[in-house]
Amino acid sequence: MSKFSYGSGARPLDGYVIKRGIGQGGFGEVYYALSDAGKEVALKLVRGNQDVELRGMQHCLNLKHPNLVTLYDIRKGADGEVWVVMEYVAGDNLSDLLHQHPHGLPLDLAQKIFTDLAKAVGYLHENGIVHRDLKPANIFLEKGVVKVGDYGLAKSISGSQKSPQTQSVGTVHYMAPEISTGNYGKQIDVYAAAVILFEMVTGRPPFDGETAGEILMKHLTATPDLSKLPPILARVVGRGLAKDPKQRYASLTEMLADWAGQQPPSGALPVTQSYQQRPSPSAVKSTLVQGPPLPVFGWRAKVQEVATAMGLTVVWSGLAMLIWAALDRPRGGAPNLAEFAANLNLTVLGVWAVLLPSKLFWEGRTGDPWTQRSVLMTLGLGLGLLSAWLHPPVGFLQDLTDAESSTQFLWHLTSGALFFGGAFFAVRWPALIFRYREKRFSLLAVAWTALLGYGLSLLFDNQVSWTRMPSSVGVVLVMAIVVQLVSPWSETPRVAERPRRLRYA
């Protein structure tokens, strides 16, 4: 975190003295301050995107609700800086509370927080305001009262009207799929609230990943795993996370009422026909996979894509191995055709081993990366045994009955399995295959694979020479090259890493 612009005792705004900095973000800095009369307030210094920030603040300036952080005033300092004077909430935010409960909150506490959240967001919607950045860090708890804050991204939308946006907003873990299209309405708050409810109960958001782009694509294409939720919540959260906004609840009031098994109170937004007829579990499941704005690849398309990639694997692997064989041949001698064929077979089988599960079963789906690594390690162990069989110690067939030779061959099989098992476990193969990876081709990944291969060879091969690449290292190195070349790649909209807000040009 960078240093705050003002320290304790500073008076950048007439009538207030700063006591300490309490938060920083993409839009500015927030300070705890006292007025000259002794009133505690939070002062927000608006830095970038002032038009966006102030527009949202002005929409919410006169709103009063017990579950909303009160905004008092918008003022300019002597040097022209823009300050927002607002209520100071002394308690923790929901993000802090979730860090203290990594496996989820007690269900009654989650329901209390969600109830107050629904009241606050419902009040905003009644006044034509969409929050657009609901997340745990913007939900505060003080003496048992929940307050929703940070209106910097709020936008006025009358009724249920949707309007095109020139900028996408929010934090990637809580972004509804339609935000990527720039055409959205109040249902993005319903989606974000459903994500928050899932996180409160389970301790983690429904979609996670190693990059913001990967998380965004899961919002667009993946089905959330609702198995850890109680049955009633699985149905409620599942509908709140529907890809199609028309399939979600019309309001958080309706969502809360469905959770409690009640009809929403009079004056709430109208109940949709799909709510009155409560969908079956199969119908709810179908709403989770409808119509994302970016293309979704069905099973047949995936199989065709993988088949094409497998064919290209043979071509690229053959070309790479020909180059390697030409460079590795003894001076004045001919390439070793038997070793060339063995290495080519190993490379092709290795690429297929990581390509098939990654593309058919893991891409665009939630899952434990350690489970994926374990599956790949198992495949690597099998490939290592095959490699050891294809590259036997010299003369082992003649002396296989000898105890020392048998022990040597057993270690040969074991070391081969451990080498490829370790390489398949340590390299992030699914990330190299992922359609929306950051780069089409990463030399850094190839270099890391080569370095890792040499390290593993030093552990398992007593005859490693730095002047001649071992065949096993060459195989995983070529695999790292080929697997990127044969895997389709598409650019995704640029997104900021959590917790920065997303911007699209």
Side-chain angles (χ1 to χ4, degrees), residues 336-351:
N336 188 328
L337 295 181
E339 184 173 358
F340 165 79
N343 291 335
L344 176 59
N345 289 330
L346 289 172
T347 303
V348 171
L349 291 175
V351 173

Side-chain angles (χ1 to χ4, degrees), residues 262-273:
Q262 303 169 354
Q263 292 294 327
S266 60
L269 291 176
V271 180
T272 62
Q273 181 180 3

Side-chain angles (χ1 to χ4, degrees), residues 173-174 195 198-199 202-208 498:
H173 286 81
Y174 309 91
V195 174
F198 183 101
E199 188 173 7
T202 66
R204 58 189 302 175
F207 302 117
D208 209 345
R498 185 181 187 186

